[in-house]
């Protein structure tokens, strides 16, 4: 079921982004009376799943879900239609239009991507507001399990107070700021120390087995009892919280292992918090020094026990436009930093560039409209920024040649454009293959 939910969100988001991006090219092309021969969701290599011609444009759905396209008459694009380009220009063709009109047509797709992301952020702010945790309320530090972090001298219980000299005020900031982090200031055992991150920090994280960073420390909340291990048949319910073992308080789940390992093969008394009441119980510690219970935990569990200061903000409709713009610009800036890191080989960040599997994996296993729209906004920005890269075949490549034409007053040679498209197509395919190979290594 989790697969169905994830793949449904992935395909819905991808389809929406592709259709709207191509619509961004389609609408100005029609406004400038430029003929659009095809409008396709996905690629119709050899055949299409569906097609219908309306008003001179063939609308369809291809079978290869790697994107989509509009085929504009008289435009040198990935279709490499040399026969059409060899004919004298027609008034309705792209190449017959003034350069400024062609520029608007080419920028239409990324413009829609950016507008879509902004609109989504506005409505997310209005509909859901913001929920975060004040970093000042994290008194006992974070969970640190990633070997890349522990090898730098970090450990569970360390508290991150600033990144690159900028104070951390909200817990959500840590993950965002780690992308461009060079130096961490942490409090460890009541001492302040600075950790300098290696230049290839992102590369190490990308190729490591763990994707964890600094996690919140949760109480031991029962999620599932493994029915083949020590405590099968015990009266434990999902959501029960183990508050004490052998009359000693247990605040965080990460403290459990060291406490019970010496008690392997014995019984322990525990205090269980359930529906606001404390229930005494005995549990078995297996010979492997484990309870055989999978722990979980949600934000509501933290709120129930008052572990952290949970900050909730609600916005009026007018405020949402300002908040949405702030979220939009922050995300664009953050993605720009990521691209810079990716194209700087010494950072190793390129190793973490993922393809369709990576995009699929960021969608949650349970349906959440808030998560769906948030991820769709992020992917819309990503699609817009990537399309602006000055690579022939991409929108940015076409824009680059059009700007040259506008500034110089000269149209690039069609033979040159043809070769540039071919080179750009090869580069693009290499990038797509590289990203998707990264998903599996």
């Amino acid at each position: 079921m989790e697969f169905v939910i994830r793949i449904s969100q992935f395909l819905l988001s991808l389809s929406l982004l592709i259709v709207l991006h191509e619509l961004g090219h389609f609408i100005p092309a029609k406004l400038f009376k430029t003929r659009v021969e095809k409008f396709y969701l996905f690629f119709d290599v050899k055949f299409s799943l569906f097609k219908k011609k309306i008003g001179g444009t063939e609308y369809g759905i291809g079978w290869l879900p790697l994107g989509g396209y509009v085929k504009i008459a008289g435009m040198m694009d990935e279709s490499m239609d040399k026969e059409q380009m060899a004919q004298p220009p027609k008034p309705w063709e792209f190449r017959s239009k003034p350069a400024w009109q062609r520029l608007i047509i080419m920028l239409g797709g990324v413009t829609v991507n950016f507008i879509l992301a902004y609109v989504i952020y506005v409505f997310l702010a209005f509909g859901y507001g913001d929920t975060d945790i004040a970093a000042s309320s994290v008194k006992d530090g974070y969970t640190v399990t990633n070997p890349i972090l522990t090898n730098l001298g970090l450990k569970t219980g360390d508290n991150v107070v600033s990144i690159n000299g900028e104070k951390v005020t909200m817990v959500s900031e840590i993950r965002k700021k780690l992308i461009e982090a060079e130096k961490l200031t942490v409090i460890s055992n009541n001492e302040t120390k600075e950790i300098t991150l290696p230049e290839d920090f992102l590369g190490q994280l990308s190729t490591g087995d763990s994707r964890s960073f600094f996690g919140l420390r949760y109480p031991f909340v029962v999620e599932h009892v493994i029915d083949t291990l020590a405590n099968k048949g015990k009266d434990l319910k999902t959501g029960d919280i183990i508050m004490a073992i052998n009359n000693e308080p247990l605040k965080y789940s990460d403290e459990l292992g060291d406490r019970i390992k010496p008690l392997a093969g014995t019984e322990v008394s525990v205090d269980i918090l359930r529906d606001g009441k404390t229930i005494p119980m005995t549990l078995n510690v297996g010979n492997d020094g484990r309870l055989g219970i999978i722990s979980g935990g949600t934000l509501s569990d933290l709120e129930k026990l008052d572990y952290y200061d949970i900050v909730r903000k609600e916005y009026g409709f007018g405020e949402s436009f300002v908040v949405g713009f702030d979220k939009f610009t922050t995300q664009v800036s953050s993605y720009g930093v990521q691209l810079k890191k990716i194209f700087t080989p010494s950072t190793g960040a390129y190793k973490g560039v993922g393809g369709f599997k990576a995009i699929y994996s960021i969608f949650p296993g349970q349906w959440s409209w808030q998560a769906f729209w948030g991820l769709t906004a992020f992917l819309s920005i990503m699609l817009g920024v990537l399309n602006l890269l000055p690579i022939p075949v991409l929108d940015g490549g076409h824009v680059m040649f059009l700007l040259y034409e506008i500034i110089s007053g000269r149209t690039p040679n069609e033979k040159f454009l043809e070769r540039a498209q071919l080179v750009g197509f090869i580069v693009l395919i290499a990038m797509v293959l590289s990203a998707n190979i990264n998903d599996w290594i």
Side-chain angles (χ1 to χ4, degrees):
M1 190 62 183
E2 181 178 324
F3 169 77
V4 173
I5 293 173
R6 277 187 166 174
I7 198 68
S8 298
Q9 292 179 90
F10 168 73
L11 290 175
L12 178 60
S13 179
L14 188 66
S15 300
L16 178 68
L17 292 176
I18 292 169
V19 168
L20 291 179
H21 176 91
E22 300 306 333
L23 200 61
H25 296 303
F26 179 85
I27 291 173
K30 286 291 189 179
L31 287 174
F32 295 135
K33 302 187 186 309
T34 310
R35 183 173 295 173
V36 180
E37 297 174 350
K38 286 187 172 185
F39 187 122
Y40 262 77
L41 170 64
F42 307 147
F43 290 110
D44 57 327
V45 181
K46 300 297 184 184
F47 69 93
S48 56
L49 300 177
F50 164 83
K51 63 181 179 180
K52 183 175 180 62
K53 198 160 188 174
I54 305 173
T57 302
E58 182 183 301
Y59 299 87
I61 301 175
W63 64 270
L64 188 61
L66 297 180
Y69 70 97
V70 288
K71 188 178 186 309
I72 300 174
M75 176 181 168
M76 179 57 73
D77 58 14
E78 62 272 16
S79 67
M80 304 298 285
D81 191 346
K82 299 178 186 178
E83 185 177 334
Q84 184 185 66
M85 299 302 290
Q87 302 296 320
K90 308 292 192 302
W92 60 80
E93 289 186 339
F94 179 82
R95 54 183 167 162
S96 298
K97 302 301 176 181
W100 66 270
Q101 291 186 3
R102 285 180 278 143
L103 184 63
I104 291 173
I105 292 171
M106 292 316 305
L107 286 174
V110 297
T111 300
V112 168
N113 284 136
F114 291 144
I115 291 173
L116 174 65
Y118 170 60
V119 169
I120 289 173
Y121 284 133
V122 168
F123 280 96
L124 283 176
F126 180 67
Y128 297 98
D130 280 326
T131 301
D132 212 329
I133 294 173
S136 59
S137 68
V138 182
K139 306 298 185 184
D140 300 318
Y142 298 89
T143 300
V144 180
T145 57
N146 193 316
I148 294 163
L149 296 177
T150 57
N151 289 339
L152 291 171
L154 295 159
K155 63 182 186 302
T156 294
D158 287 353
N159 204 337
V160 182
V161 293
S162 70
I163 298 175
N164 290 346
E166 187 177 344
K167 184 179 178 181
V168 174
T169 58
M170 292 291 172
V171 170
S172 66
E173 295 173 3
I174 296 177
R175 190 177 187 92
K176 297 173 185 175
K177 291 180 177 179
L178 273 178
I179 293 170
E180 49 188 305
E182 296 176 358
K183 183 174 64 176
L184 307 179
T185 303
V186 303
I187 296 177
S188 180
N189 297 328
N190 296 318
E191 292 184 5
T192 301
K193 62 180 183 179
E194 290 190 349
I195 304 291
T196 300
L197 302 179
E199 187 178 16
D200 66 340
F201 177 64
L202 285 182
Q204 291 185 39
L205 286 176
S206 301
T207 55
D209 293 331
S210 174
R211 292 290 186 270
S212 65
F213 293 97
F214 294 90
L216 284 171
R217 300 181 74 182
Y218 277 79
F220 193 98
V221 182
V222 176
E223 184 172 298
H224 176 64
V225 179
I226 301 173
D227 61 8
T228 58
L229 296 181
N231 288 291
K232 62 179 180 180
K234 291 286 184 177
D235 182 30
L236 287 168
K237 300 182 183 300
T238 299
D240 285 352
I241 303 174
I242 300 178
M243 300 296 296
I245 294 181
N246 288 343
N247 298 317
E248 291 185 19
L250 178 76
K251 188 171 185 180
Y252 300 112
S253 61
D254 56 70
E255 299 172 328
L256 180 69
D258 291 338
R259 293 271 294 275
I260 65 170
K261 198 164 288 184
L263 304 174
T266 67
E267 278 189 343
V268 293
S269 61
V270 298
D271 291 336
I272 300 290
L273 181 66
R274 179 189 297 168
D275 299 328
K277 297 179 181 179
T278 301
I279 303 171
M281 191 179 296
T282 59
L283 296 178
N284 301 316
V285 182
N287 293 326
D288 59 356
R290 298 181 181 182
L291 294 177
I293 301 170
I294 296 173
S295 65
T298 64
L299 199 62
S300 63
D301 295 316
L302 299 176
E303 194 168 25
K304 187 189 306 179
L305 297 172
D306 199 25
Y307 268 37
Y308 307 107
D309 293 339
I310 299 173
V311 181
R312 288 188 171 86
K313 294 181 181 178
E314 294 184 354
Y315 305 104
F317 189 64
E319 287 180 293
S320 300
F321 285 89
V322 178
V323 174
F325 184 75
D326 183 55
K327 290 177 181 292
F328 170 74
T329 53
T330 299
Q331 193 64 262
V332 171
S333 175
S334 174
Y335 194 67
V337 170
Q338 291 179 55
L339 273 183
K340 183 179 177 182
K341 294 271 188 182
I342 288 168
F343 287 106
T344 305
S346 58
T347 66
Y350 63 89
K351 299 174 185 176
V353 177
F356 291 105
K357 181 174 178 287
I359 296 172
Y360 155 83
S361 68
I362 66 175
F363 286 96
Q366 294 181 325
W367 193 279
S368 164
W369 281 113
Q370 184 178 6
F372 171 82
W373 287 116
L375 289 169
T376 298
F378 166 72
L379 292 174
S380 191
I381 288 172
M382 184 179 78
L383 181 61
V385 172
L386 288 176
N387 263 284
L388 280 177
L389 292 176
I391 299 172
V393 175
L394 294 179
D395 297 343
H398 291 287
V399 168
M400 177 177 63
F401 293 132
L402 282 167
L403 289 175
Y404 166 80
E405 181 181 341
I406 291 170
I407 293 168
S408 69
R410 292 178 295 179
T411 305
N413 181 276
E414 285 192 6
K415 196 69 178 176
F416 169 77
L417 289 177
E418 180 185 319
R419 289 172 179 168
Q421 290 292 318
L422 181 59
V423 170
F425 183 74
I426 293 170
V427 170
L428 184 62
I429 290 297
M431 290 172 62
V432 171
L433 286 175
S434 175
N436 283 280
I437 288 170
N438 277 346
D439 283 344
W440 300 98
I441 60 175

